[in-house]
Amino acid sequence: MSSMNYAEKIPNNVDLAHDRRLQRALEHWQPKFLDWWQEMGPSDFAQSEVYLRTAISVDAQGWAHYGAVKMPDYRWGIFLADAVADRRIGFGDQAGEPAWQQVPGEYRSTLRRLIVTQGDTEPASVEQQRLLGHSCPSLYDLRNLFQINVEEGRHLWAMVYLLHAYFGRDGREEAEELLARHSGDADKPRILSTFNEPISDWLSLYCFTYFTDRDGKFQLKSFAESAFDPLSRTCRFMLTEEAHHMFVGETGLGRVVKRTLEVMQELGSDDPVRIRAHGAVDLPLLQKYLNFWCSSSLDLFGSEISTNAAASFASGLKGRPDEPQYADHVLRDSTSSVDTPQGAQEVPALNALNEVMRGSYLKDCEIGLKRWNRAIERAGHAFRLTLPSTRFRRSIGAWINQPVDPEGKMLARADYDRRLHEWIPSQEDRAFVRSLMQQVIEPGRMAGWIAPPDRGVNSLPVEYAYVSLS
Ligand SMILES: [Fe+2]
Ligand SMILES: [Fe+2]
């Protein structure tokens, strides 16, 4: 296994010490990253000691170290999963040939764009979440937020390493731009629209980590298949960290459901007005948040019919998540049926790959809903949470701006406009959720709208003081 060097200014397992030029370039970028963190990262908690995990090995067993750290002192580093000996390209027109250790000239600009687009989402989410510490429902949750934030910071490092190491001067310029764009900025926004949506409450954070970080998982899985081996190794390791982000989303939403069911039980009522008056999130309100974040995240997979996706696959840059599960890895001789407002359309299978990925993503999204619905059913309620149709509220692809309800039914435009607030959070809904967001920082205590977690972090009790504020 490759060893990790923690003694260096930039912890790494890519033997940075023996590549002076690259080391100097990254050391030049590092203070800019730290400035960005101070300015755009979590607001006001720079002096707090946070119980964080830090990657110290890429070994699946025991890769992390846990301990109290101030976030600005976090050891952000560059870690690649171990190389696979004699790795071969697993898909596309060059399937079976050796994986690339350098970027082939003809794919240089496409690969750079793919890496920059992925890299841009990492600091974007830190920016989106920067104020949430002020309204955390518990210290346990506050710590989880900060864990996600520092890891997204490390994911930025991962992409910047690739840009610096393999794309020369253009790569270094792109690395600067990754710190210059900001989430929601009018002049220089982040590249993808979901990453410009404000995350001003914790219900949105749990939805974001459930739906949007899961998009991240699928993007990383498709890059893990890439013929460009350094990208594949980088993304394979990022996936180990990403799993925690989705865990926060799934358990966070599960705890909201649990608390709501307790309140419904106490009140003997499922009346949203009474549940809200009791300081909990009624299930129809939760459904609106799911509709909002799921539909927004579905756009991240791109158009249903895409020649870019076809080209990235054919050339070996980006595969399907879990590519080995498929029988045909070339896809030159098959077609797929794609659902469009004009009816089903038969297109070359290569052009329908975004839809394939969106399909596996949705299947993964269903898992949490099944669990929450079981809890709702056990509590004796008929209400069921659902995922919105992939046609609903899309701002990209075949269904862009179509007046479709969450079940996928086409409506008259006026009906759609009139009823949209029934399906996604209205101003009043958002104001109500914001009113619940009161900071709770007494160890072990939880805000009234969320149940405690089943267990604490790394075998510590839930009451542990995960963040010492100062
Ligand atoms: Fe990430
Ligand atoms: Fe993430």
Side-chain angles (χ1 to χ4, degrees):
M1 198 198 350
S2 50
S3 64
M4 197 149 301
N5 191 338
Y6 257 83
E8 287 187 50
K9 222 165 153 185
I10 302 167
N12 70 91
N13 69 346
V14 295
D15 203 9
L16 210 49
H18 285 96
D19 189 340
R20 288 289 173 197
R21 212 176 47 84
L22 176 60
Q23 190 181 18
R24 266 200 307 276
L26 286 165
E27 284 181 0
H28 183 69
W29 186 81
Q30 189 177 37
K32 299 180 187 178
F33 168 82
L34 290 171
D35 287 347
W36 166 81
W37 180 270
Q38 294 286 0
E39 201 188 321
M40 301 303 294
S43 105
D44 282 342
F45 293 88
Q47 294 309 312
S48 305
E49 299 264 353
V50 187
Y51 185 75
L52 292 176
R53 80 175 174 189
T54 306
I56 50 158
S57 143
V58 290
D59 186 357
Q61 267 77 47
W63 61 274
H65 165 82
Y66 286 83
V69 219
K70 288 182 184 160
M71 282 186 280
D73 301 333
Y74 192 75
R75 300 289 280 150
W76 284 284
I78 297 161
F79 313 120
L80 273 60
D82 286 331
V84 173
D86 189 34
R87 181 168 174 259
R88 302 271 151 171
I89 301 172
F91 61 93
D93 296 338
Q94 299 163 76
E97 292 177 20
W100 317 319
Q101 299 307 324
Q102 291 295 330
V103 179
E106 67 267 44
Y107 305 134
R108 197 180 160 86
S109 67
T110 314
L111 253 180
R112 193 183 59 213
R113 182 179 52 78
L114 289 170
I115 291 169
V116 165
T117 307
Q118 176 63 38
D120 194 66
T121 66
E122 314 288 357
S125 65
V126 177
E127 295 167 354
Q128 285 171 291
Q129 299 165 14
R130 69 184 302 264
L131 296 175
L132 286 174
H134 297 289
S135 58
C136 63
S138 73
L139 281 186
Y140 164 88
D141 289 281
L142 184 62
R143 177 267 167 202
N144 281 345
L145 168 72
F146 292 157
Q147 181 69 60
I148 293 171
N149 292 160
V150 293
E151 285 175 350
E152 300 301 7
R154 207 204 64 73
H155 290 177
L156 171 60
W157 270 96
M159 294 296 122
V160 164
Y161 160 72
L162 293 174
L163 290 170
H164 274 209
Y166 297 96
F167 295 88
R169 191 201 166 123
D170 308 352
R172 290 194 295 276
E173 282 170 11
E174 293 285 8
E176 307 261 316
E177 286 298 299
L178 285 169
L179 298 175
R181 284 184 294 270
H182 296 312
S183 178
D185 192 290
D187 301 321
K188 265 186 165 251
R190 292 295 176 183
I191 297 170
L192 301 167
S193 64
T194 308
F195 293 89
N196 289 302
E197 300 280 5
I199 303 181
S200 45
D201 63 76
W202 282 73
L203 195 54
S204 295
L205 176 73
Y206 297 133
C207 289
F208 181 93
T209 45
Y210 189 77
F211 290 109
T212 313
D213 280 286
R214 192 175 311 274
D215 159 73
K217 167 183 166 182
F218 279 79
Q219 301 298 339
L220 293 176
K221 279 170 93 78
S222 66
F223 286 132
E225 305 291 338
S226 180
F228 180 41
D229 200 46
L231 175 61
S232 162
R233 292 174 58 200
T234 300
C235 292
R236 268 184 279 147
F237 184 64
M238 289 162 76
L239 279 162
T240 52
E241 293 164 315
E242 204 60 51
H244 173 257
H245 311 177
M246 286 174 290
F247 165 86
V248 169
E250 177 164 353
T251 53
L253 292 171
R255 290 160 56 207
V256 172
V257 170
K258 188 175 177 193
R259 179 62 195 141
T260 300
L261 293 172
E262 286 169 6
V263 169
M264 286 162 81
Q265 168 82 22
E266 280 167 40
L267 296 173
S269 165
D270 61 2
D271 177 3
V273 177
R274 294 192 58 200
I275 293 165
R276 289 190 190 194
H278 209 82
V281 177
D282 52 291
L283 297 176
L285 176 56
L286 175 58
Q287 179 65 60
K288 288 180 170 187
Y289 273 76
L290 300 183
N291 288 343
F292 180 90
W293 285 103
C294 183
S295 56
S296 177
S297 302
L298 285 172
D299 275 343
L300 295 170
F301 292 93
S303 297
E304 283 73 5
I305 303 169
S306 165
T307 51
N308 276 346
S312 292
F313 185 89
S315 51
L317 306 183
K318 196 176 174 188
R320 286 166 291 186
D322 304 305
E323 184 62 40
Q325 70 172 308
Y326 298 96
D328 179 356
H329 300 294
V330 183
L331 296 176
R332 284 286 179 192
D333 306 310
S334 55
T335 59
S336 294
S337 167
V338 172
D339 175 40
T340 76
Q342 293 75 40
Q345 215 175 307
E346 203 65 18
V347 300
L350 277 175
N351 294 33
L353 286 173
N354 287 343
E355 206 45 21
V356 171
M357 210 156 138
R358 194 159 18 235
S360 1
Y361 166 77
L362 281 169
K363 237 190 244 158
D364 207 44
C365 288
E366 285 286 357
I367 296 170
L369 275 94
K370 278 201 190 108
R371 185 164 305 152
W372 309 327
N373 280 333
R374 261 202 307 277
I376 297 170
E377 188 180 359
R378 267 201 307 269
H381 302 283
F383 191 92
R384 294 291 177 269
L385 296 164
T386 55
L387 294 176
S389 159
T390 52
R391 302 169 174 181
F392 175 66
R393 213 177 73 93
R394 294 293 304 284
S395 20
I396 192 172
W399 293 90
I400 183 169
N401 291 333
Q402 295 289 326
V404 172
D405 73 9
E407 273 106 68
K409 213 168 71 226
M410 189 76 84
L411 305 177
R413 168 71 56 189
D415 289 342
Y416 174 83
D417 290 341
R418 190 168 43 80
R419 296 189 57 193
L420 187 59
H421 72 96
E422 295 174 25
W423 304 315
I424 60 171
S426 64
Q427 292 300 338
E428 293 77 25
D429 294 328
R430 289 191 182 279
F432 167 70
V433 170
R434 263 199 309 277
S435 77
L436 296 179
M437 300 296 131
Q438 307 294 334
Q439 190 187 52
V440 176
I441 49 170
E442 197 184 302
R445 243 196 77 206
M446 297 288 141
W449 54 272
I450 190 164
D454 289 338
R455 58 189 70 82
V457 179
N458 193 31
S459 310
L460 290 172
V462 173
E463 313 66 67
Y464 185 79
Y466 289 103
V467 182
S468 345
L469 303 164
S470 70

